[in-house]
RNA sequence: UGGGGAGUCGUCCAGUGGCAGGACGGCAGACUCUGGAUCUGCUUACAGGGGUUCGAAUCCUCUCUCCCCAGCCA
């Protein structure tokens, strides 16, 4: 196979991995892991990490473990484990026959802790959490040593064993690493490595009442699994000295921790805590609300795994804090759906059109192309008759110069059908609102082309009133009004930037007949409008569509410019 | 003010001693039975000062700005 003309540019992590392979580090092996805590649903930021870890493994002929970092029984639930597995699979990644759990290593981890005690580098501390905080010092002042710091090894061992047996109440004691209370790095000031928690764990049940902390569990889990490159986000940079310290103390297999910048996306939030807040306070309907940046939300919204993976490729990997423009995500889904989505006609805001010179009892079947980007997708028949619906926005009684669509006296094309000319405008007697248009058609233009070669400025989508199905369509906008929702005014938080108009529900849309039995999850381009998919709320009696993303809309831009 | 990181077009990412480049966005045009798609062109960027060098985004130095850390969360 020929080499690519341009050598691919590696991000800094892939560069490290490549150099490690060339240097024979870890015997040329590459083994990564994706280690979510099952305390919430995965979001697009996790997708970045998944693509990175699984991507590197596959590019360098290595492996990637899916490992649940489940060391805190109070926050973790089976529901989250299941959703995480589903989301990783949906994204298109596969792991070995089993998934891994930090909780599977609890016994092993306990032995490691005992070993640390034996070496004199861990001790049981009786300080309360409040006292530990006070002893820790501050960012600028060193901490003080715990009065329990120099307990004899035997006493530590005995106490630690009794902690395990459940002899002490929650919070009464901890196991701490004996490192350096004066360290500038607060993580090194004798961090807690085990706490007492009389709580049932989603997997180990009541077997344990002491649970290891992240710093202790994570490095050893990586070590046990013979991970080569332990990739995590920037906020763990300060923890790397601790990661290395634990491993070095016991002289066990030592993976390399590498940190990269987490994803920030404009007009949304990507923090589990904040997403939970949105769910619990009812700002959204759930984790899979189509406005949520969760994988399940994106899936319900109509995003494809290909588009999400492509997005993750395009944003790159680096160490600087950044905020990726939502427009890039939208570009990625348009790009994918443009190739794949069948085109269909749907009228979101219907206005009645009567073709006065068209026979009342006639219905014609006209041929429409399913996808101009892919001729293999073929054609379909759409019914045409005397009474139609077109988009309310496609008519203007007094059109500005840039408006190409229907207006009194103007001729336009109905896609795949006929040229029509607006002859009369019917208004509501009281409100003055336009309620119906009277038009004439030119029979010679059947199929949409005029034999005399005359041109028309625009082509409109339409449905036949007698044949169309009614549908509900849900339109979504950004969840937040500000690109950086976390920047709230004094005394407010991100919730003050929630967009009150992020959802609008259209109840009486009309979609073409061919959509009658569209299955849940199927996606379409509603011509001239955007990409839509069938929501799980949809049923045989009631079609429900979600708008995934609009088409690029030049007219909308012109309107915006006109307003200024 | 302690420790750890980071500063390149509006945004994201390359470039690591030799012509600052790509993508998205934006603008303009071509084409079009989707004001879609596609194509073409344009698009006020190396945080600042000093130094080394024939030559600096890249090396040295000082400064400035931003992010993270004081959970028995991860």
């Amino acid at each position: 196979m020929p080499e690519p003309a341009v050598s691919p540019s590696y991000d800094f992590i892939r560069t490290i991995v490549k150099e490690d392979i060339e240097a024979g580090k870890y015997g040329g092996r590459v083994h990564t892991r994706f280690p979510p805590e099952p305390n919430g649903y995965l979001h697009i930021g996790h997708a970045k990490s998944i693509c990175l870890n699984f991507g590197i493994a596959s590019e360098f002929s290595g492996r990637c473990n899916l490992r649940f970092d489940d060391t805190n029984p109070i926050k973790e639930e089976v529901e989250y484990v299941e959703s995480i597995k589903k989301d990783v699979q949906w994204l298109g990644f596969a792991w070995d026959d089993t998934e891994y759990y930090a909780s599977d290593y609890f016994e092993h981890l306990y032995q490691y802790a005992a070993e640390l005690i034996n070496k004199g580098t861990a001790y049981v501390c009786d300080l309360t959490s409040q006292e530990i905080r006070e002893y820790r010092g501050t960012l600028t002042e060193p901490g003080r040593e715990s009065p329990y710091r120099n307990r004899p090894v035997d006493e530590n061992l005995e106490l630690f064993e009794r902690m395990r047996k459940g002899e002490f109440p929650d919070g009464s004691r901890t196991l701490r690493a004996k490192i350096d209370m004066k360290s500038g790095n607060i993580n090194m000031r004798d961090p807690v490595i085990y706490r007492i928690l009389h709580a049932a764990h989603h997997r180990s049940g009541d077997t344990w009442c002491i649970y290891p902390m992240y710093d202790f569990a994570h490095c050893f889990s990586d070590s046990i699994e013979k991970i080569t490159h332990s990739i995590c986000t920037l906020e763990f940079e300060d923890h790397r000295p601790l990661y290395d310290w634990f491993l070095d103390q016991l002289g066990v297999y030592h993976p390399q921790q590498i940190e990269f910048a987490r994803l920030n996306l404009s007009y949304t939030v990507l923090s589990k805590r904040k997403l939970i807040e949105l769910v619990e306070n009812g700002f959204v309907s759930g984790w899979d609300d189509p406005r949520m940046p969760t994988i399940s939300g994106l899936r319900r919204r109509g995003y494809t795994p290909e588009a999400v993976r492509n997005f993750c490729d395009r944003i790159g990997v680096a160490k600087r804090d950044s905020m990726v423009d939502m427009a890039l995500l939208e570009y990625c889904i348009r790009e994918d759906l443009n190739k794949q989505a069948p085109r269909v006609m749907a009228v979101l805001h219907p206005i009645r059109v009567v073709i006065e010179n068209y026979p009342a009892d006639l219905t014609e079947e006209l041929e429409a192309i399913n996808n101009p980007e892919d001729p293999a997708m073929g054609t379909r028949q759409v019914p045409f008759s005397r009474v139609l619906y077109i988009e309310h926005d496609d008519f203007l009684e007094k059109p500005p110069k840039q408006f190409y669509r229907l207006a009194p006296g103007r001729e336009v094309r109905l896609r795949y059908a006929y040229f029509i000319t607006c002859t009369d405008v019917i208004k509501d007697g009281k409100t003055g609102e336009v309620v119906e248009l009277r038009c004439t058609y030119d029979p010679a233009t059947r199929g949409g082309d005029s034999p005399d070669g005359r041109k028309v400025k625009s082509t409109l989508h339409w449905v036949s009133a007698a044949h169309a199905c009614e549908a509900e369509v849900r339109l979504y906008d950004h969840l937040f009004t500000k690109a950086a929702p976390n920047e709230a005014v004094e005394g407010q938080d991100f919730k003050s930037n929630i967009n009150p108009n992020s959802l609008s529900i259209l109840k009486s849309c009309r979609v073409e007949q061919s959509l009658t039995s569209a299955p849940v999850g199927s996606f379409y381009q509603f011509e001239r409008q955007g990409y839509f998919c069938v929501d799980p709320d949809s049923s045989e009696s009631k079609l429900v569509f979600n708008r995934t993303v609009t088409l690029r809309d030049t007219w909308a831009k012109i309107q915006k410019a006109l307003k200024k």
Side-chain angles (χ1 to χ4, degrees), chain A residues 159 165 192 312 457 534:
Chain A
L159 251 18
K165 283 182 182 156
V192 169
C312 291
K457 275 280 237 183
V534 180

Side-chain angles (χ1 to χ4, degrees), chain A residues 47 71 98 115 120 160 166 249 300 363 457 460 473:
Chain A
T71 56
T98 56
E115 233 180 287
F160 187 45
Q249 282 301 309
R300 186 167 176 185
T363 295
K457 275 280 237 183
L460 309 185
V473 176

Side-chain angles (χ1 to χ4, degrees), chain A residues 202-219:
Chain A
H202 71 103
R203 298 191 82 237
S204 62
D206 294 322
T207 308
W208 294 88
C209 64
I210 57 171
Y211 292 91
M213 300 286 291
Y214 165 84
D215 287 303
F216 187 76
H218 204 91
C219 60

Side-chain angles (χ1 to χ4, degrees), chain A residues 170-239:
Chain A
D170 287 3
S172 59
R173 283 179 225 265
T174 57
L175 183 71
R176 293 228 259 164
K178 191 193 282 191
I179 310 180
D180 177 10
M181 291 306 292
K182 290 192 275 299
S183 173
N185 181 347
I186 291 176
N187 296 306
M188 302 298 273
R189 319 237 264 229
D190 288 11
V192 169
I193 58 185
Y194 264 91
R195 75 285 215 187
I196 300 172
L197 247 30
H198 290 268
H201 185 275
H202 71 103
R203 298 191 82 237
S204 62
D206 294 322
T207 308
W208 294 88
C209 64
I210 57 171
Y211 292 91
M213 300 286 291
Y214 165 84
D215 287 303
F216 187 76
H218 204 91
C219 60
F220 287 119
S221 299
D222 283 346
S223 178
I224 290 166
E225 292 174 19
K226 295 285 185 287
I227 298 302
T228 57
H229 303 267
S230 178
I231 301 166
C232 61
T233 45
L234 249 31
E235 66 270 28
F236 292 103
E237 217 151 14
D238 282 346
H239 295 243

Side-chain angles (χ1 to χ4, degrees), chain A residues 365-400:
Chain A
E365 293 288 333
L366 299 167
E367 187 175 58
I369 295 165
N370 287 331
N371 187 350
E373 299 292 317
D374 181 6
M377 289 175 75
T379 61
R380 69 188 183 286
Q381 301 297 119
V382 291
F384 184 91
S385 63
R386 187 169 193 264
V387 181
L388 313 168
Y389 288 110
I390 67 164
E391 209 65 57
H392 210 295
D393 297 348
D394 282 341
F395 173 81
L396 234 39
E397 203 174 3
K398 298 191 179 91

